[in-house]
Amino acid sequence: MVRPRLLVVSMSLPVTAKRTGEETWSFTMSPGGLVSALLGLKEFETKWIGWPGVDVHDAVGKKALSIALAEKGCIPVFLEEVCDQYYNGYCNNILWPIFHYLGTPPEYRNDVIITYQSQYDAYKKANRIFFDVVNEHYQEGDVVWCHDYHVMLLPQYLKEYNSKMKVGWFLHTPFPSSEMYKTLPSRSELLRSVLTADLVGFHTYDFARHFVNACMCILGTEATSEGVVDQGKLTRVAVFPIGIEPERFINTSKLSEVTEYMKKFKSDFGGRKLILGVDRLDTIKGIPHKYQAFEKFLEENEDWRGKVLLLQIAVPTRNGIGEYQKIKDQCHGLVGRINGRFGSISSVPIIHLDCSIHFHQLCALYAITDVLLVTSLRDGMNLFAGAGQSLGAGALLVNPWNVKEVSNAIGEALSMSREEKEKKHQINFQYVKTHSTQQWADDFMNKLNEVTSKAEQETGKAPHELPQHDVVQQYSKSKNRLLILGFYGTLTKPNKNQERRDEGMNLELHPQLKERLKALCSDPKTTVVVLSRSEKSVLDQNFGEHDMWLAAENGMFLRHTAGEWVTKMPENMNLKWIDGVKQVFKYFTERTPGSYFQASETSVVWNYHYAGANGAGTRSDAPPDAVAALHARTEGKYSLGQNLQRLLSSTFKTETRHNQKQNQNITKPKLKPEREEPENYSLQSERLQR
């Protein structure tokens, strides 16, 4: 059985390449659960597309590297011409800080070469290069899984080329709140591109919620329980907490070499309690905050001095960037100060390592440590950072910015009874075992297959596109036509920022449609009806000079422009509720900037279309609830809409005869034709507008 292919697209390949000759290369497998998880999807033949980590400028070297990587299931993307402004520029200098709440850096005022725009241009070009490589190797039926903020434009490029391509996108960092994301240049383009994917995944519910809110605030999209609706297309948004490879840690911990390390470390630490920190040396990991909290703990707990050790493994990263050198110097300064204050000739309270350690040593430390201290300020779920939502039940959750709170938590953890430790550990251990990296990858792919299969089924059920040629042909042949047109959005001039009066918007007929509408109305074979929720006066003002029918307030009032208005309200209709509802809507309008309400003889409408999502989104359900409560205290009845069939079957038949008696000179508006089998042809207003 042929397995389906999975094309994994990320910034980097799962191997690190090193050139050993003109046509020879050596490779080192990158560590980490993500690599094992994606390569371990047994039901797929996985191909990994990404940057090889080195610049290769000669054709011979590129060819040799491509051949060597193909044997490992990898496909290189060569980014030499744009790599610096793409990766170090837009990705790490603009996107990464915003996604981690550090804000956008200042514009390069004295540099005419490196600017926001030049970096974004490089980002777009790099994503195009990724697209070209994917397109070159794509086969029908392949699934494409895009990873992280480096390829946010790729889903759109792929879908524009092939709308049937199955595309998923997953973010391995936090997604910021909409207020932070709004500061990003080209914010809309990136969101719209991601929304072209079939499935968008995040580590936590908070990240997914921020993404949905950003789409609502910036793009004006709708949010549903399944995801985001943009221009009629539903993009599923889901949460997939990533884990580790528990079996790898369990099996490694049983090795004799690891057991020896455990004995050695216990001896070296001299029986002191061990607090362990394992982080990349990064501005968001909160290592200085950790040291300050530990210093506070030692200040306030003299009896613990000399009995506890904080071992911090700070894996170096991005050494060439100035901000990282600053954080490194800050950590070194804090360690020196704390060790100087609370250390002795025989021991120091902090051991800080600016390096990574062997995996066997790491497993030994995990096995013997008493407290694992994580003070990440803002992060995804790499290592343990950002895992508070998943491991909170078995951990002591702290605010890393609150030095006193972290200090107290350190004391609580060190003093915790063995029974309570075991209980908390079992809770988290069971979660980690069942939420592994393999399970994470399986869950995402299963969801993606479910989403795309459902989309294919819905596409098959979708109505056929209106055959415009046939419509025009049949329309031309017909002798008795009925055209029912809406007003707002159909016959008005499109304007996102409509001028508003106190009662609502100033609706006016589009100037370019006046002559066309007049021509339709003058055709003896055609009867035109404008159906709107607007008041009678608004329709009179815009259409009084045309030979047509007007249906105001969703059909409650009807007239031909040559006749008088006739009401279609039931005789005993109770309208006492209107005044109370006006007060409810007025209350919410005053508290929702950008909203307004319109009151007519038979209806009240509260419109929050022009209010921001944060302003009205949380209130849009409140007015109906308040109205329902008000209605329960009144005798009146209300409905949520009008039946168009009632308008067609009852209103026009009776009112045509009524107006013909009052206006004997009106002969055209015969909605009930003389022929027994009329050739009425009705078009939706949207189609007519085209």
mmCIF file of all heavy atoms in Angstrom, residues 443-479:
data_model
loop_
_atom_site.group_PDB
_atom_site.id
_atom_site.type_symbol
_atom_site.label_atom_id
_atom_site.label_comp_id
_atom_site.label_asym_id
_atom_site.label_seq_id
_atom_site.Cartn_x
_atom_site.Cartn_y
_atom_site.Cartn_z
ATOM 1 N N ASP A 443 -2.375 14.044 16.386
ATOM 2 C CA ASP A 443 -3.604 14.825 16.584
ATOM 3 C C ASP A 443 -3.754 15.894 15.505
ATOM 4 O O ASP A 443 -4.856 16.107 14.972
ATOM 5 C CB ASP A 443 -3.608 15.483 17.964
ATOM 6 C CG ASP A 443 -3.816 14.481 19.085
ATOM 7 O OD1 ASP A 443 -4.221 13.343 18.794
ATOM 8 O OD2 ASP A 443 -3.559 14.829 20.259
ATOM 9 N N PHE A 444 -2.659 16.573 15.190
ATOM 10 C CA PHE A 444 -2.743 17.623 14.172
ATOM 11 C C PHE A 444 -3.082 17.033 12.810
ATOM 12 O O PHE A 444 -3.958 17.548 12.093
ATOM 13 C CB PHE A 444 -1.432 18.402 14.098
ATOM 14 C CG PHE A 444 -1.507 19.619 13.206
ATOM 15 C CD1 PHE A 444 -1.809 20.862 13.740
ATOM 16 C CD2 PHE A 444 -1.284 19.522 11.834
ATOM 17 C CE1 PHE A 444 -1.894 21.985 12.925
ATOM 18 C CE2 PHE A 444 -1.376 20.634 11.011
ATOM 19 C CZ PHE A 444 -1.676 21.870 11.557
ATOM 20 N N MET A 445 -2.412 15.971 12.444
ATOM 21 C CA MET A 445 -2.657 15.379 11.124
ATOM 22 C C MET A 445 -4.058 14.787 11.031
ATOM 23 O O MET A 445 -4.709 14.885 9.983
ATOM 24 C CB MET A 445 -1.596 14.319 10.825
ATOM 25 C CG MET A 445 -0.189 14.867 10.673
ATOM 26 S SD MET A 445 -0.076 16.273 9.527
ATOM 27 C CE MET A 445 -0.745 15.553 8.041
ATOM 28 N N ASN A 446 -4.536 14.167 12.101
ATOM 29 C CA ASN A 446 -5.896 13.629 12.087
ATOM 30 C C ASN A 446 -6.920 14.741 11.925
ATOM 31 O O ASN A 446 -7.906 14.602 11.187
ATOM 32 C CB ASN A 446 -6.168 12.849 13.378
ATOM 33 C CG ASN A 446 -5.394 11.555 13.453
ATOM 34 O OD1 ASN A 446 -4.979 11.005 12.433
ATOM 35 N ND2 ASN A 446 -5.168 11.052 14.649
ATOM 36 N N LYS A 447 -6.682 15.857 12.628
ATOM 37 C CA LYS A 447 -7.594 16.994 12.512
ATOM 38 C C LYS A 447 -7.551 17.595 11.120
ATOM 39 O O LYS A 447 -8.596 17.960 10.551
ATOM 40 C CB LYS A 447 -7.226 18.054 13.560
ATOM 41 C CG LYS A 447 -8.178 19.244 13.609
ATOM 42 C CD LYS A 447 -9.576 18.827 14.054
ATOM 43 C CE LYS A 447 -10.487 20.028 14.203
ATOM 44 N NZ LYS A 447 -11.851 19.638 14.641
ATOM 45 N N LEU A 448 -6.358 17.687 10.545
ATOM 46 C CA LEU A 448 -6.221 18.234 9.198
ATOM 47 C C LEU A 448 -6.938 17.358 8.181
ATOM 48 O O LEU A 448 -7.637 17.863 7.282
ATOM 49 C CB LEU A 448 -4.745 18.379 8.838
ATOM 50 C CG LEU A 448 -4.429 18.956 7.452
ATOM 51 C CD1 LEU A 448 -5.049 20.332 7.285
ATOM 52 C CD2 LEU A 448 -2.918 19.022 7.227
ATOM 53 N N ASN A 449 -6.795 16.046 8.317
ATOM 54 C CA ASN A 449 -7.501 15.137 7.409
ATOM 55 C C ASN A 449 -9.008 15.255 7.573
ATOM 56 O O ASN A 449 -9.769 15.235 6.594
ATOM 57 C CB ASN A 449 -7.062 13.692 7.669
ATOM 58 C CG ASN A 449 -5.673 13.405 7.145
ATOM 59 O OD1 ASN A 449 -5.238 14.014 6.164
ATOM 60 N ND2 ASN A 449 -4.962 12.498 7.783
ATOM 61 N N GLU A 450 -9.448 15.397 8.826
ATOM 62 C CA GLU A 450 -10.887 15.555 9.090
ATOM 63 C C GLU A 450 -11.420 16.836 8.460
ATOM 64 O O GLU A 450 -12.484 16.848 7.830
ATOM 65 C CB GLU A 450 -11.122 15.576 10.603
ATOM 66 C CG GLU A 450 -12.558 15.876 11.004
ATOM 67 C CD GLU A 450 -12.688 16.143 12.489
ATOM 68 O OE1 GLU A 450 -11.920 15.557 13.277
ATOM 69 O OE2 GLU A 450 -13.560 16.959 12.877
ATOM 70 N N VAL A 451 -10.664 17.926 8.617
ATOM 71 C CA VAL A 451 -11.091 19.226 8.090
ATOM 72 C C VAL A 451 -11.159 19.210 6.570
ATOM 73 O O VAL A 451 -12.139 19.666 5.973
ATOM 74 C CB VAL A 451 -10.134 20.334 8.585
ATOM 75 C CG1 VAL A 451 -10.341 21.625 7.802
ATOM 76 C CG2 VAL A 451 -10.331 20.582 10.064
ATOM 77 N N THR A 452 -10.119 18.688 5.930
ATOM 78 C CA THR A 452 -10.088 18.684 4.465
ATOM 79 C C THR A 452 -11.129 17.731 3.888
ATOM 80 O O THR A 452 -11.740 18.032 2.860
ATOM 81 C CB THR A 452 -8.691 18.309 3.961
ATOM 82 O OG1 THR A 452 -8.262 17.078 4.581
ATOM 83 C CG2 THR A 452 -7.688 19.393 4.304
ATOM 84 N N SER A 453 -11.363 16.598 4.548
ATOM 85 C CA SER A 453 -12.391 15.666 4.068
ATOM 86 C C SER A 453 -13.775 16.293 4.167
ATOM 87 O O SER A 453 -14.602 16.175 3.248
ATOM 88 C CB SER A 453 -12.347 14.371 4.888
ATOM 89 O OG SER A 453 -11.115 13.713 4.735
ATOM 90 N N LYS A 454 -14.024 16.976 5.274
ATOM 91 C CA LYS A 454 -15.310 17.641 5.445
ATOM 92 C C LYS A 454 -15.488 18.748 4.420
ATOM 93 O O LYS A 454 -16.585 18.940 3.878
ATOM 94 C CB LYS A 454 -15.408 18.211 6.861
ATOM 95 C CG LYS A 454 -16.769 18.794 7.198
ATOM 96 C CD LYS A 454 -16.817 19.255 8.646
ATOM 97 C CE LYS A 454 -18.194 19.829 8.985
ATOM 98 N NZ LYS A 454 -18.259 20.286 10.406
ATOM 99 N N ALA A 455 -14.417 19.472 4.129
ATOM 100 C CA ALA A 455 -14.487 20.552 3.140
ATOM 101 C C ALA A 455 -14.797 19.992 1.757
ATOM 102 O O ALA A 455 -15.567 20.585 0.990
ATOM 103 C CB ALA A 455 -13.177 21.334 3.118
ATOM 104 N N GLU A 456 -14.211 18.835 1.430
ATOM 105 C CA GLU A 456 -14.481 18.215 0.135
ATOM 106 C C GLU A 456 -15.942 17.787 0.028
ATOM 107 O O GLU A 456 -16.570 17.936 -1.020
ATOM 108 C CB GLU A 456 -13.563 17.015 -0.064
ATOM 109 C CG GLU A 456 -12.101 17.394 -0.266
ATOM 110 C CD GLU A 456 -11.199 16.184 -0.312
ATOM 111 O OE1 GLU A 456 -11.720 15.050 -0.131
ATOM 112 O OE2 GLU A 456 -9.981 16.347 -0.514
ATOM 113 N N GLN A 457 -16.492 17.265 1.119
ATOM 114 C CA GLN A 457 -17.900 16.868 1.114
ATOM 115 C C GLN A 457 -18.812 18.073 0.951
ATOM 116 O O GLN A 457 -19.795 18.034 0.215
ATOM 117 C CB GLN A 457 -18.235 16.125 2.400
ATOM 118 C CG GLN A 457 -17.514 14.793 2.549
ATOM 119 C CD GLN A 457 -17.747 14.159 3.907
ATOM 120 O OE1 GLN A 457 -18.477 14.680 4.743
ATOM 121 N NE2 GLN A 457 -17.110 13.023 4.142
ATOM 122 N N GLU A 458 -18.476 19.157 1.656
ATOM 123 C CA GLU A 458 -19.301 20.362 1.562
ATOM 124 C C GLU A 458 -19.207 20.980 0.176
ATOM 125 O O GLU A 458 -20.184 21.521 -0.338
ATOM 126 C CB GLU A 458 -18.865 21.375 2.619
ATOM 127 C CG GLU A 458 -19.177 20.918 4.043
ATOM 128 C CD GLU A 458 -18.642 21.877 5.083
ATOM 129 O OE1 GLU A 458 -17.893 22.803 4.697
ATOM 130 O OE2 GLU A 458 -18.973 21.714 6.271
ATOM 131 N N THR A 459 -18.016 20.883 -0.439
ATOM 132 C CA THR A 459 -17.861 21.409 -1.793
ATOM 133 C C THR A 459 -18.749 20.657 -2.766
ATOM 134 O O THR A 459 -19.351 21.237 -3.671
ATOM 135 C CB THR A 459 -16.392 21.312 -2.241
ATOM 136 O OG1 THR A 459 -15.576 22.045 -1.327
ATOM 137 C CG2 THR A 459 -16.214 21.860 -3.640
ATOM 138 N N GLY A 460 -18.884 19.337 -2.554
ATOM 139 C CA GLY A 460 -19.735 18.542 -3.429
ATOM 140 C C GLY A 460 -21.206 18.876 -3.300
ATOM 141 O O GLY A 460 -21.990 18.696 -4.230
ATOM 142 N N LYS A 461 -21.594 19.380 -2.109
ATOM 143 C CA LYS A 461 -22.988 19.726 -1.879
ATOM 144 C C LYS A 461 -23.309 21.170 -2.254
ATOM 145 O O LYS A 461 -24.471 21.561 -2.245
ATOM 146 C CB LYS A 461 -23.338 19.511 -0.400
ATOM 147 C CG LYS A 461 -23.217 18.066 0.066
ATOM 148 C CD LYS A 461 -23.523 17.951 1.555
ATOM 149 C CE LYS A 461 -23.378 16.512 2.039
ATOM 150 N NZ LYS A 461 -23.632 16.401 3.495
ATOM 151 N N ALA A 462 -22.295 21.949 -2.558
ATOM 152 C CA ALA A 462 -22.514 23.364 -2.846
ATOM 153 C C ALA A 462 -23.317 23.520 -4.127
ATOM 154 O O ALA A 462 -23.188 22.728 -5.069
ATOM 155 C CB ALA A 462 -21.174 24.082 -2.982
ATOM 156 N N PRO A 463 -24.187 24.516 -4.197
ATOM 157 C CA PRO A 463 -24.985 24.720 -5.415
ATOM 158 C C PRO A 463 -24.085 25.095 -6.579
ATOM 159 O O PRO A 463 -23.012 25.681 -6.406
ATOM 160 C CB PRO A 463 -25.921 25.875 -5.029
ATOM 161 C CG PRO A 463 -25.224 26.576 -3.907
ATOM 162 C CD PRO A 463 -24.492 25.507 -3.153
ATOM 163 N N HIS A 464 -24.543 24.753 -7.770
ATOM 164 C CA HIS A 464 -23.761 25.066 -8.960
ATOM 165 C C HIS A 464 -23.731 26.571 -9.192
ATOM 166 O O HIS A 464 -24.657 27.296 -8.822
ATOM 167 C CB HIS A 464 -24.348 24.357 -10.176
ATOM 168 C CG HIS A 464 -24.299 22.862 -10.085
ATOM 169 N ND1 HIS A 464 -23.112 22.160 -10.099
ATOM 170 C CD2 HIS A 464 -25.284 21.946 -9.958
ATOM 171 C CE1 HIS A 464 -23.371 20.860 -9.996
ATOM 172 N NE2 HIS A 464 -24.682 20.718 -9.906
ATOM 173 N N GLU A 465 -22.672 27.010 -9.809
ATOM 174 C CA GLU A 465 -22.560 28.432 -10.119
ATOM 175 C C GLU A 465 -23.644 28.836 -11.107
ATOM 176 O O GLU A 465 -23.993 28.086 -12.021
ATOM 177 C CB GLU A 465 -21.180 28.719 -10.705
ATOM 178 C CG GLU A 465 -20.925 30.191 -10.981
ATOM 179 C CD GLU A 465 -19.532 30.444 -11.511
ATOM 180 O OE1 GLU A 465 -18.747 29.476 -11.539
ATOM 181 O OE2 GLU A 465 -19.241 31.590 -11.888
ATOM 182 N N LEU A 466 -24.198 30.026 -10.908
ATOM 183 C CA LEU A 466 -25.265 30.513 -11.764
ATOM 184 C C LEU A 466 -24.760 30.660 -13.193
ATOM 185 O O LEU A 466 -23.784 31.370 -13.446
ATOM 186 C CB LEU A 466 -25.756 31.869 -11.252
ATOM 187 C CG LEU A 466 -26.965 32.470 -11.966
ATOM 188 C CD1 LEU A 466 -28.209 31.649 -11.672
ATOM 189 C CD2 LEU A 466 -27.171 33.911 -11.527
ATOM 190 N N PRO A 467 -25.391 29.982 -14.154
ATOM 191 C CA PRO A 467 -24.960 30.108 -15.557
ATOM 192 C C PRO A 467 -25.395 31.459 -16.115
ATOM 193 O O PRO A 467 -26.548 31.627 -16.537
ATOM 194 C CB PRO A 467 -25.660 28.942 -16.253
ATOM 195 C CG PRO A 467 -26.865 28.666 -15.412
ATOM 196 C CD PRO A 467 -26.489 29.014 -14.002
ATOM 197 N N GLN A 468 -24.499 32.415 -16.133
ATOM 198 C CA GLN A 468 -24.869 33.778 -16.490
ATOM 199 C C GLN A 468 -25.408 33.885 -17.914
ATOM 200 O O GLN A 468 -26.366 34.622 -18.177
ATOM 201 C CB GLN A 468 -23.657 34.697 -16.298
ATOM 202 C CG GLN A 468 -23.186 34.786 -14.855
ATOM 203 C CD GLN A 468 -22.075 35.802 -14.677
ATOM 204 O OE1 GLN A 468 -21.870 36.666 -15.521
ATOM 205 N NE2 GLN A 468 -21.354 35.705 -13.571
ATOM 206 N N HIS A 469 -24.805 33.156 -18.833
ATOM 207 C CA HIS A 469 -25.272 33.224 -20.224
ATOM 208 C C HIS A 469 -26.708 32.756 -20.339
ATOM 209 O O HIS A 469 -27.546 33.398 -21.011
ATOM 210 C CB HIS A 469 -24.355 32.378 -21.113
ATOM 211 C CG HIS A 469 -24.766 32.361 -22.555
ATOM 212 N ND1 HIS A 469 -25.634 31.407 -23.076
ATOM 213 C CD2 HIS A 469 -24.441 33.199 -23.583
ATOM 214 C CE1 HIS A 469 -25.819 31.646 -24.364
ATOM 215 N NE2 HIS A 469 -25.102 32.725 -24.695
ATOM 216 N N ASP A 470 -27.026 31.638 -19.671
ATOM 217 C CA ASP A 470 -28.388 31.119 -19.719
ATOM 218 C C ASP A 470 -29.370 32.076 -19.055
ATOM 219 O O ASP A 470 -30.509 32.243 -19.508
ATOM 220 C CB ASP A 470 -28.458 29.748 -19.035
ATOM 221 C CG ASP A 470 -27.661 28.693 -19.785
ATOM 222 O OD1 ASP A 470 -27.332 28.939 -20.967
ATOM 223 O OD2 ASP A 470 -27.357 27.646 -19.190
ATOM 224 N N VAL A 471 -28.940 32.688 -17.954
ATOM 225 C CA VAL A 471 -29.808 33.626 -17.248
ATOM 226 C C VAL A 471 -30.169 34.798 -18.150
ATOM 227 O O VAL A 471 -31.339 35.188 -18.272
ATOM 228 C CB VAL A 471 -29.125 34.132 -15.961
ATOM 229 C CG1 VAL A 471 -29.898 35.307 -15.367
ATOM 230 C CG2 VAL A 471 -29.027 33.020 -14.934
ATOM 231 N N VAL A 472 -29.156 35.370 -18.786
ATOM 232 C CA VAL A 472 -29.407 36.511 -19.672
ATOM 233 C C VAL A 472 -30.319 36.109 -20.827
ATOM 234 O O VAL A 472 -31.234 36.847 -21.219
ATOM 235 C CB VAL A 472 -28.069 37.074 -20.197
ATOM 236 C CG1 VAL A 472 -28.321 38.155 -21.247
ATOM 237 C CG2 VAL A 472 -27.240 37.631 -19.056
ATOM 238 N N GLN A 473 -30.099 34.921 -21.350
ATOM 239 C CA GLN A 473 -30.906 34.440 -22.472
ATOM 240 C C GLN A 473 -32.368 34.252 -22.073
ATOM 241 O O GLN A 473 -33.287 34.697 -22.776
ATOM 242 C CB GLN A 473 -30.322 33.127 -22.995
ATOM 243 C CG GLN A 473 -30.909 32.657 -24.316
ATOM 244 C CD GLN A 473 -30.209 31.406 -24.819
ATOM 245 O OE1 GLN A 473 -30.017 30.448 -24.064
ATOM 246 N NE2 GLN A 473 -29.837 31.413 -26.087
ATOM 247 N N GLN A 474 -32.595 33.611 -20.935
ATOM 248 C CA GLN A 474 -33.955 33.390 -20.468
ATOM 249 C C GLN A 474 -34.626 34.704 -20.071
ATOM 250 O O GLN A 474 -35.823 34.901 -20.291
ATOM 251 C CB GLN A 474 -33.948 32.430 -19.273
ATOM 252 C CG GLN A 474 -33.523 31.015 -19.612
ATOM 253 C CD GLN A 474 -34.484 30.364 -20.605
ATOM 254 O OE1 GLN A 474 -35.693 30.552 -20.520
ATOM 255 N NE2 GLN A 474 -33.922 29.615 -21.548
ATOM 256 N N TYR A 475 -33.842 35.590 -19.488
ATOM 257 C CA TYR A 475 -34.386 36.892 -19.099
ATOM 258 C C TYR A 475 -34.861 37.659 -20.336
ATOM 259 O O TYR A 475 -35.918 38.291 -20.335
ATOM 260 C CB TYR A 475 -33.318 37.689 -18.350
ATOM 261 C CG TYR A 475 -33.752 39.063 -17.924
ATOM 262 C CD1 TYR A 475 -34.447 39.251 -16.735
ATOM 263 C CD2 TYR A 475 -33.467 40.182 -18.703
ATOM 264 C CE1 TYR A 475 -34.852 40.514 -16.338
ATOM 265 C CE2 TYR A 475 -33.866 41.445 -18.320
ATOM 266 C CZ TYR A 475 -34.560 41.614 -17.132
ATOM 267 O OH TYR A 475 -34.971 42.862 -16.747
ATOM 268 N N SER A 476 -34.086 37.591 -21.397
ATOM 269 C CA SER A 476 -34.443 38.315 -22.618
ATOM 270 C C SER A 476 -35.709 37.753 -23.251
ATOM 271 O O SER A 476 -36.501 38.493 -23.847
ATOM 272 C CB SER A 476 -33.282 38.254 -23.624
ATOM 273 O OG SER A 476 -32.108 38.827 -23.064
ATOM 274 N N LYS A 477 -35.909 36.452 -23.124
ATOM 275 C CA LYS A 477 -37.077 35.810 -23.726
ATOM 276 C C LYS A 477 -38.349 36.037 -22.922
ATOM 277 O O LYS A 477 -39.446 36.035 -23.471
ATOM 278 C CB LYS A 477 -36.827 34.307 -23.860
ATOM 279 C CG LYS A 477 -35.774 33.927 -24.888
ATOM 280 C CD LYS A 477 -35.624 32.412 -24.931
ATOM 281 C CE LYS A 477 -34.578 31.985 -25.949
ATOM 282 N NZ LYS A 477 -34.420 30.500 -25.972
ATOM 283 N N SER A 478 -38.217 36.211 -21.609
ATOM 284 C CA SER A 478 -39.401 36.290 -20.753
ATOM 285 C C SER A 478 -40.189 37.561 -21.038
ATOM 286 O O SER A 478 -39.640 38.585 -21.421
ATOM 287 C CB SER A 478 -38.996 36.237 -19.278
ATOM 288 O OG SER A 478 -38.199 37.350 -18.953
ATOM 289 N N LYS A 479 -41.506 37.488 -20.787
ATOM 290 C CA LYS A 479 -42.404 38.607 -21.059
ATOM 291 C C LYS A 479 -42.972 39.237 -19.792
ATOM 292 O O LYS A 479 -43.635 40.271 -19.861
ATOM 293 C CB LYS A 479 -43.553 38.137 -21.953
ATOM 294 C CG LYS A 479 -43.092 37.607 -23.304
ATOM 295 C CD LYS A 479 -44.266 37.113 -24.135
ATOM 296 C CE LYS A 479 -43.788 36.570 -25.488
ATOM 297 N NZ LYS A 479 -44.937 36.063 -26.292
#
